[in-house]
Amino acid sequence: MVTPTIQRRRLGNALRRAREAAGKSQDEAAEVIDSASSKVSRMELGQSGIRLTDLKLLLDFYGVSAEEAEPLRELARAGRQRGRWSGYRNVVPDWFRQYLDLEADAAEIRWYQSEVIPGILQTEPYIRAIIDRDDVERQVEVRLERQKVIDRPDGPELNFILSESALRRNLGDRATMREQLSHLAALADRPNVTIQVFPLDAETYVVSSFSFILLRFGEEVASDVVYLETFTDADYLDSPEALRAYNRHWDRLRAAALGPAESRRLMLRIAGEMK
């Protein structure tokens, strides 16, 4: 099921195209619904929902026909529904629930991780080793639920570049790390999963001390998104400049990383060292 976050992004993209086709500015649109232009910007980016009354005013202002308007009203209704992760409100903050929706609906995920194994690839013992919270059981439940996207027939193409330090950083006991690395090697055999390792001794000027995720979508969902997570919040970047910069950075990291087969051998070799 397409998530409310994606429905809002589709509606926002459609509203932006309708406004531009009508030759109207965001300031002019804001006057029509008696709000700030920043609100129109958030709606077009899919960052907030829109009331049906405001939607009607905007569509009339843009000259959108009744036939073309009905699908947009349906998108607006769908975008106001509670998402699949609303049941985890007490353990998953708002800024991360938005990411979970995007992750579930992406066509491709490009994920660079520098220090730990990505959550979507973690085994349950590894999850328990890195989470030190009272709600650990619910946190484990969320991460294992997320991992179902790997098995979905219509799931995204998953591409990972992991720093070798993420493979060698001992979290939990040696048995935990051995199981985690063996799990990574098994996932790397799947046709929809590519895992490359950025080696510690790579002879390259390309470095990245921070992790980032590139989420790619179809054209109807507006632009792709770069997700950057901090300790207490996250940034969602979707400007053309940011997307070009991060895609270039990804390409350079991928070129400097070990190939998939060589990366898998390294995972198994490090796992063997954990005996």
Side-chain angles (χ1 to χ4, degrees):
M1 181 179 68
V2 178
T3 60
T5 297
I6 292 300
Q7 302 288 33
R8 288 194 299 270
R9 286 174 62 81
R10 285 177 173 169
L11 176 59
N13 192 34
L15 285 174
R16 176 184 55 78
R17 287 190 298 217
R19 176 179 58 76
E20 292 175 347
K24 307 297 184 182
S25 68
Q26 287 188 343
D27 288 337
E28 290 173 314
E31 289 182 11
V32 170
I33 59 174
D34 192 24
S35 69
S37 59
S38 59
K39 179 178 179 179
V40 175
S41 176
R42 289 196 302 273
M43 289 189 301
E44 291 185 357
L45 292 172
Q47 296 174 348
S48 66
I50 180 173
R51 296 182 302 177
L52 290 177
T53 53
D54 287 345
L55 178 61
K56 184 179 186 309
L57 290 171
L58 288 176
L59 295 179
D60 288 345
F61 182 56
Y62 299 154
V64 176
S65 69
E67 183 180 357
E68 294 173 319
E70 182 54 33
L72 302 186
R73 283 194 289 269
E74 289 300 319
L75 286 176
R77 295 186 187 100
R80 297 180 68 85
Q81 294 176 358
R82 298 178 68 182
R84 63 176 296 194
W85 300 100
S86 59
Y88 294 97
R89 286 180 178 274
N90 59 330
V91 293
V92 180
D94 290 343
W95 51 266
F96 190 57
R97 285 203 304 276
Q98 180 182 354
Y99 168 78
L100 294 180
D101 272 354
L102 295 173
E103 180 181 80
D105 284 304
E108 180 187 356
I109 297 176
R110 296 179 172 184
W111 191 324
Y112 172 76
Q113 191 78 34
S114 60
E115 292 299 324
V116 296
I117 305 300
I120 201 173
L121 303 179
Q122 294 171 0
T123 62
E124 184 172 339
Y126 188 93
I127 297 171
R128 294 183 182 279
I130 65 175
I131 295 178
D132 182 20
R133 291 171 51 171
D134 293 337
D135 57 3
V136 61
E137 296 302 327
R138 293 282 280 166
Q139 293 290 334
V140 170
E141 186 179 340
V142 169
R143 296 201 184 188
L144 294 180
E145 179 68 21
R146 285 174 60 196
Q147 293 177 10
K148 292 181 180 179
V149 73
I150 299 175
D151 298 317
R152 272 178 32 206
D154 62 339
E157 178 185 341
L158 299 164
N159 297 290
F160 300 89
I161 300 175
L162 312 182
S163 170
E164 185 178 340
S165 60
L167 307 184
R168 294 189 177 277
R169 185 173 300 283
N170 284 311
L171 295 169
D173 55 23
R174 296 174 73 83
T176 295
M177 290 304 301
R178 184 169 63 250
E179 179 184 350
Q180 176 63 73
L181 294 171
S182 298
H183 179 63
L184 283 182
L187 288 175
D189 268 342
R190 298 198 177 199
N192 61 324
V193 179
T194 300
I195 303 177
Q196 294 180 250
V197 177
F198 191 84
L200 293 173
D201 60 355
E203 295 183 1
T204 176
Y205 68 93
V206 179
V207 293
S208 188
S209 59
F210 58 91
S211 301
F212 63 90
I213 304 173
L214 275 160
L215 299 154
R216 310 189 77 186
F217 303 91
E219 292 182 1
E220 77 281 4
V221 191
S223 66
D224 301 336
V225 176
V226 177
Y227 175 77
L228 302 173
E229 187 174 308
T230 64
F231 187 60
T232 59
D233 205 345
D235 287 322
Y236 294 83
L237 311 179
D238 59 4
S239 70
E241 295 78 15
L243 291 169
R244 281 195 295 270
Y246 275 90
N247 274 295
R248 283 197 300 267
H249 191 43
W250 169 267
D251 289 340
R252 290 166 180 162
L253 288 169
R254 184 177 59 179
L258 301 176
E262 193 175 0
S263 295
R264 186 176 183 276
R265 288 194 293 271
L266 179 59
M267 296 173 210
L268 292 173
R269 184 165 73 245
I270 298 175
E273 297 171 3
M274 297 293 177
K275 295 180 179 180

